[in-house]
Amino acid sequence: MKGLILVGGYGTRLRPLTLTVPKPLVEFGNRPMILHQIEALANAGVTDIVLAVNYRPEVMVKTLKKYEEEYGVNITFSVETEPLGTAGPLKLAENVLKKDNSPFFVLNSDVICEYPFKELAEFHAAHGGKGTIVATKVDEPSKYGVIVHDLATPNLIDRFVEKPVEFVGNRINAGLYILNPEVIDLIDMKPTSIEKETFPILVEQKSLYSFDLEGFWMDVGQPKDFLSGTVLYLNSLKKRHSDKLSTGDNIVGNAMIDASAKIAKTAKIGPDVVIGPNVTIGEGVRIERSVVLANSTISNHSLVKSTIVGWNSTVGKWCRLEGVTVLGDDVEVQDEVYINGGKVLPHKSISSNVPQEAIIM
């Protein structure tokens, strides 16, 4: 089987992290985001993976070469000279996706979930339609485009309703699909939306179905959702009794801590914390609902809450970081500084308080 991952452009929503590292290689749960998806596709029997990007991917090639060997897959880049939307990349990768009659998976690179690709493939084969959308349930469907089903045929999609005023359903497109190769014939080589242009054709042909996603789902393409997705991901690991979660006297709730991290005994970690390789956590530090990326230091008696600490960064003593603060690569926060919702660009030193949301250049 085959799979296409819609990577897109420069990851501007996740800045300042993506100013130094391509979005697919930013670590989520101490692994590059793209690796979660490559592993899931490989485990479902996918052998050819296309990454659809609209920037030059040289910086990713070395890392992905290693994954090719590790998972026994072929990874190719489909580079757009102009952004082609969510359907155009399928047409651009036609030579791979149509090389045989087997269906192919499509997924958004920002989506984190439990990736039920095997079950999805079985469901798709059973109903005999041309396409299947993975659907997830939401509490506030009025914010989204909602899937409405045919009353006579289970799971057959009848129409989509954009941001409905009245309740018509609570299932939305989760950004994962499986499609038959002939669907590519419906797409022109130009900027095209699969949701607004291709799927309505399949609905009209009565050939598009939905598959209910069990478990968690999150688009982690921006910092606040990256943190929310981390909470959901760690909780999913707990439900599956995963040995990836850390335990200890100073750990509260769910936490994932790399074995190389050095954490003082008086520090308290958790709940909902991920700590990367070669991180140093000082005495009396409190960290909750945060991600600390590799080679960073949190000095004595600082509080880090709802924050992403970028690689190679240093937080001084008696600091307080909260409110979806994001530190880029190699940032220094000096002693006794308060940051609330600040986005600090790489290689900066912060010596004064940032009491409200701001970009520190």
Side-chain angles (χ1 to χ4, degrees):
M1 293 187 70
K2 304 146 295 190
L4 181 139
I5 302 175
L6 296 166
V7 175
Y10 295 98
T12 53
R13 295 189 303 155
L14 203 53
R15 287 179 177 173
L17 299 176
T18 50
L19 290 171
T20 46
V21 173
K23 181 180 65 176
L25 300 186
V26 173
E27 293 92 343
F28 180 90
N30 277 344
R31 307 169 80 204
M33 287 169 62
I34 200 85
L35 182 54
H36 293 269
Q37 298 168 335
I38 290 172
E39 183 181 67
L41 287 168
N43 288 342
V46 170
T47 53
D48 292 284
I49 298 174
V50 180
L51 302 187
V53 299
N54 53 37
Y55 64 95
R56 297 183 68 81
E58 289 86 350
V59 69
M60 296 169 57
V61 169
K62 184 179 178 182
T63 301
L64 293 171
K65 201 72 182 171
K66 182 176 67 177
Y67 298 153
E68 279 189 317
E69 296 166 3
E70 185 176 348
Y71 292 99
V73 295
N74 300 311
I75 299 175
T76 57
F77 289 94
S78 180
V79 183
E80 305 163 31
T81 55
E82 63 169 336
L84 291 174
T86 51
L90 279 65
K91 191 70 172 180
L92 191 62
E94 186 172 18
N95 62 325
V96 175
L97 301 180
K98 288 186 71 176
K99 73 175 191 176
D100 57 37
N101 291 324
S102 66
F104 58 89
F105 297 106
V106 181
L107 59 155
N108 186 319
S109 69
D110 293 343
V111 168
I112 289 290
C113 64
E114 292 176 5
Y115 305 117
F117 291 127
K118 286 183 180 177
E119 296 87 344
L120 178 59
E122 291 170 0
F123 175 84
H124 179 75
H127 68 61
K130 294 178 183 177
T132 305
I133 296 176
V134 174
T136 185
K137 295 178 183 178
V138 293
D139 294 330
E140 297 184 58
S142 60
K143 292 181 178 180
Y144 304 92
V146 173
I147 295 168
V148 180
H149 289 105
D150 183 272
L151 295 176
T153 307
N155 301 106
L156 178 65
I157 297 175
D158 179 67
R159 65 190 189 279
F160 299 95
V161 179
E162 190 65 31
K163 297 181 180 178
V165 177
E166 297 180 349
F167 183 85
V168 292
N170 63 348
R171 288 171 172 81
I172 66 166
N173 180 351
L176 289 83
Y177 324 117
I178 185 170
L179 305 170
N180 290 351
E182 67 252 42
V183 172
I184 296 176
D185 297 334
L186 305 175
I187 302 168
D188 294 325
M189 180 59 79
K190 64 178 184 179
T192 312
S193 166
I194 196 168
E195 299 87 356
K196 295 180 180 178
E197 297 176 65
T198 312
F199 287 160
I201 297 173
L202 294 178
V203 167
E204 199 172 303
Q205 295 175 350
K206 295 195 175 297
S207 200
L208 186 64
Y209 291 74
S210 77
F211 172 89
D212 281 353
L213 178 67
E214 301 295 331
F216 79 101
W217 174 88
M218 181 62 68
D219 178 328
V220 296
Q222 54 188 345
K224 69 181 181 65
D225 296 331
F226 190 96
L227 291 171
S228 296
T230 297
V231 174
L232 295 172
Y233 174 65
L234 294 176
N235 191 52
S236 171
L237 292 179
K238 181 182 178 181
K239 287 180 179 177
R240 289 181 277 155
H241 307 288
S242 172
D243 59 5
K244 294 178 182 177
L245 292 178
S246 304
T247 56
D249 293 338
N250 59 346
I251 296 174
V252 178
N254 297 330
M256 175 185 287
I257 302 172
D258 189 88
S260 63
K262 296 176 180 153
I263 300 177
K265 290 184 179 178
T266 57
K268 186 174 283 189
I269 309 299
D272 305 317
V273 170
V274 175
I275 294 177
N278 304 309
V279 167
T280 301
I281 307 294
E283 299 288 346
V285 167
R286 181 77 172 93
I287 305 178
E288 57 183 277
R289 203 178 185 275
S290 294
V291 174
V292 184
L293 295 171
N295 306 312
S296 291
T297 298
I298 313 295
S299 303
N300 297 350
H301 306 294
S302 285
L303 169 66
V304 177
K305 181 179 180 181
S306 293
T307 290
I308 303 172
V309 177
W311 312 268
N312 311 301
S313 292
T314 301
V315 176
K317 299 176 183 177
W318 295 101
C319 292
R320 183 183 181 105
L321 278 59
E322 61 184 0
V324 195
T325 287
V326 185
L327 307 185
D329 179 31
D330 183 35
V331 167
E332 178 192 17
V333 180
Q334 297 184 19
D335 294 349
E336 301 181 19
V337 167
Y338 171 58
I339 304 179
N340 178 25
K343 307 295 185 284
V344 186
L345 272 59
H347 316 301
K348 301 297 178 184
S349 179
I350 306 299
S351 57
S352 56
N353 293 342
V354 183
Q356 59 188 17
E357 188 172 336
I359 298 173
I360 313 302
M361 304 177 71

